[in-house]
Amino acid sequence: MKLSFATLAVTCSMATAFTPSSFMGSSRVTHRVSESNSALEMKYKVAVVGGGPSGACAAEIFAQEKNIDTVMFERKLDNAKPCGGAIPLCMIGEFDMPETVVDRKVRKMNLISPTGVEVDIGDTLKPDEYIGMCRREIMDKFLRDRAIEYGAECVNGLVTSIDVPSDHKTNEEQYTINYQEFTEGKSVGVPKSMKVDLIVGGDGANSRVAKAMDAGQYNFAIAFQERIKIPQEKMDFYEEMAEMYVGDDVSPDFYGWVFPKYDHVGVGTGTVVNRPAIKQYQKAIRDRAGDKIAGGKIIKVEAHPIPEHYRPRRVQGRMALVGDAAGYVTKCSGEGIYFAAKSGRMAAEEIVKLMKNGSRLPTQAEIEKTYIAKYDKLYYPTYAVLDTLQKVFYSNNGAREAFVELCKSKYVQQVTFDSYLYKKVQGNNPLDDLKLLGDTIGCLIKGYSNMKPDAEFSNPVESQKRL
């Protein structure tokens, strides 16, 4: 659930109207007094929990500071994480990744409305522009291996709990990480513990770090995906093509997708408001794709939670959250890979600066004023705009039909791809923006007048669950 090109553009010019949040703190940390200034003096130890894009990118930065000991925990080193797998073009260069991590270069998008209207998107792309489709088991391994090459210690372990000192916001007493360490060929882990001075939680939506630091709960979506091996002649259709289906049959508040992978396609959907019906929606997306995936064999079934908003608290003492653990997934598009890697890198860079060559530990207030404030300044407007777009265009079939109609506009397509590929709003034209506003209102009126109401559902208990 990491891709929706068209959703980014319709009101992207609104982003500048949002003012990022400010986080302030006042706690002072009492620093340990070193008994020796010799080369044998103990280094501060940083633990990064999670070896996905957020954790690996954080560990890479910490590992380059030779006065800090860096440990990265990852339970499944060969994990094929359930994920749509789309990354923007800018991520390849910004994170110095080889194109070998990209299975497919998507240059075309087929957007299908509830009534079957199809809009082809991609004519505005330049020859060297594309959206990268990755398998997480390949990309994550590359990022982890690079962190290890820089000096990070990688522990194949599952963090089960963290002992947090009651006064960790005011002194430098260490945290205790309790974990099960696994060795190759063994299915049962060995219980161990480790003392650390600072923790970065990049351990996903069900974050143990978030639980330990009392980060608060968030609402979540369930994403469901089947990897389907289809005949080569059908796979040829998806050589550079991704598909996005909207309609209450495939999701009452999101979209269904068919994304090309290395030698198969990922077919999936997601929902927040009606999670118990996810398999019903999955069947519907398979039916909508129809002959394009007919004769295919399901080779893997995946499901995972996706956060719907920021955690209420992303820093507590010397514990900070990044990636999905922090809630950094956009509404409407469901994109999270780039923001995971970016937040992991930003958090680590700011903390390393605050540690001054490993000579001190940062306070909660310092981490909030640097990492949190800078991240929100860059990306909070994007989250806010896409939240608005999801509420406007994914709420009913009339709005979905209007959304597809709007995406016929070359201006919408151009700004969509520029925004997605480069994570910047580029080349907006005030006159075109004004015209787009008028077109949006017109399409919504037309869509609402022609469509039947969505199917009703009720799940009062499930809808109240939080992570």
Side-chain angles (χ1 to χ4, degrees), residues 4 75 84 184 197 200 206 245 270 300 350 380 397 423 434 437-438 443 450 465:
S4 176
R75 167 62 186 93
E184 189 173 353
D197 299 291
V200 173
N206 290 304
Y245 294 80
K300 190 175 182 63
E350 296 303 325
Y380 181 78
N397 280 337
K423 291 295 170 277
L434 187 60
L437 176 60
C443 287
N450 293 335
K465 290 183 178 179

Side-chain angles (χ1 to χ4, degrees), residues 61-304:
I61 299 300
F62 285 121
Q64 293 178 69
E65 173 50 69
K66 300 308 178 184
N67 292 319
I68 297 174
D69 281 335
T70 304
V71 182
M72 174 173 54
F73 291 86
E74 173 56 42
R75 167 62 186 93
K76 296 182 179 179
L77 298 176
D78 59 349
N79 186 31
K81 182 179 177 181
C83 180
I87 62 173
L89 180 61
C90 66
M91 187 172 177
I92 300 293
E94 184 176 347
F95 290 86
D96 196 22
M97 298 194 303
E99 288 195 339
T100 53
V101 305
V102 176
D103 289 334
R104 300 277 177 170
K105 296 179 179 180
V106 170
R107 293 183 170 92
K108 299 177 183 178
M109 180 76 177
N110 193 27
L111 180 60
I112 302 98
S113 79
T115 62
V117 174
E118 298 189 17
V119 174
D120 292 327
I121 303 174
D123 290 343
T124 62
L125 280 180
K126 298 174 184 177
D128 60 345
E129 293 181 325
Y130 62 87
I131 284 82
M133 302 303 302
C134 303
R135 286 170 294 166
R136 289 290 300 276
E137 58 268 35
I138 303 299
M139 183 183 69
D140 291 12
K141 183 179 186 302
F142 169 80
L143 294 172
R144 264 197 314 272
D145 287 349
R146 188 164 64 186
I148 294 169
E149 289 174 5
Y150 275 118
E153 175 189 352
C154 184
V155 175
N156 183 192
L158 173 66
V159 173
T160 55
S161 65
I162 301 172
D163 298 333
V164 180
S166 58
D167 54 354
H168 70 119
K169 295 182 181 181
T170 57
N171 70 27
E172 293 187 353
E173 187 174 351
Q174 291 181 302
Y175 302 101
T176 302
I177 294 181
N178 304 302
Y179 62 100
Q180 296 279 331
E181 184 171 22
F182 295 84
T183 56
E184 189 173 353
K186 298 287 184 67
S187 59
V188 179
V190 178
K192 292 188 176 182
S193 63
M194 182 184 295
K195 296 281 188 180
V196 300
D197 299 291
L198 189 146
I199 300 174
V200 173
D203 49 340
N206 290 304
S207 171
R208 296 293 174 86
V209 178
K211 181 178 180 180
M213 62 184 268
D214 188 25
Q217 297 179 326
Y218 50 31
N219 200 3
F220 65 100
I222 285 294
F224 193 99
Q225 177 175 265
E226 294 166 328
R227 298 196 189 194
I228 302 178
K229 181 88 170 180
I230 59 177
Q232 185 57 48
E233 63 270 18
K234 295 181 183 294
M235 195 69 203
D236 289 343
F237 173 77
Y238 292 105
E239 179 66 27
E240 295 185 337
M241 171 74 77
E243 291 191 303
M244 173 180 167
Y245 294 80
V246 290
D248 70 325
D249 57 334
V250 298
S251 176
D253 56 338
F254 207 66
Y255 62 89
W257 65 86
V258 181
F259 292 164
K261 301 288 187 177
Y262 174 66
D263 60 355
H264 59 279
V265 291
V267 181
T269 185
T271 179
V272 177
V273 299
N274 198 19
R275 295 187 289 259
I278 189 65
K279 290 187 177 181
Q280 169 192 321
Y281 299 135
Q282 180 64 18
K283 180 180 182 303
I285 183 60
R286 288 199 309 267
D287 292 344
R288 289 275 295 274
D291 290 341
K292 297 172 190 174
I293 61 171
K297 178 183 178 181
I298 298 175
I299 58 176
K300 190 175 182 63
V301 178
E302 308 166 317
H304 65 112

Side-chain angles (χ1 to χ4, degrees), residues 25-90:
S26 58
S27 299
R28 286 181 173 269
V29 169
T30 302
H31 296 284
R32 290 201 297 259
V33 178
S34 299
E35 296 180 358
S36 170
N37 291 321
S38 72
L40 297 177
E41 185 177 350
M42 294 287 288
K43 297 179 182 179
Y44 286 118
K45 179 172 285 189
V46 172
V48 178
V49 181
S54 61
C57 289
E60 175 187 343
I61 299 300
F62 285 121
Q64 293 178 69
E65 173 50 69
K66 300 308 178 184
N67 292 319
I68 297 174
D69 281 335
T70 304
V71 182
M72 174 173 54
F73 291 86
E74 173 56 42
R75 167 62 186 93
K76 296 182 179 179
L77 298 176
D78 59 349
N79 186 31
K81 182 179 177 181
C83 180
I87 62 173
L89 180 61
C90 66

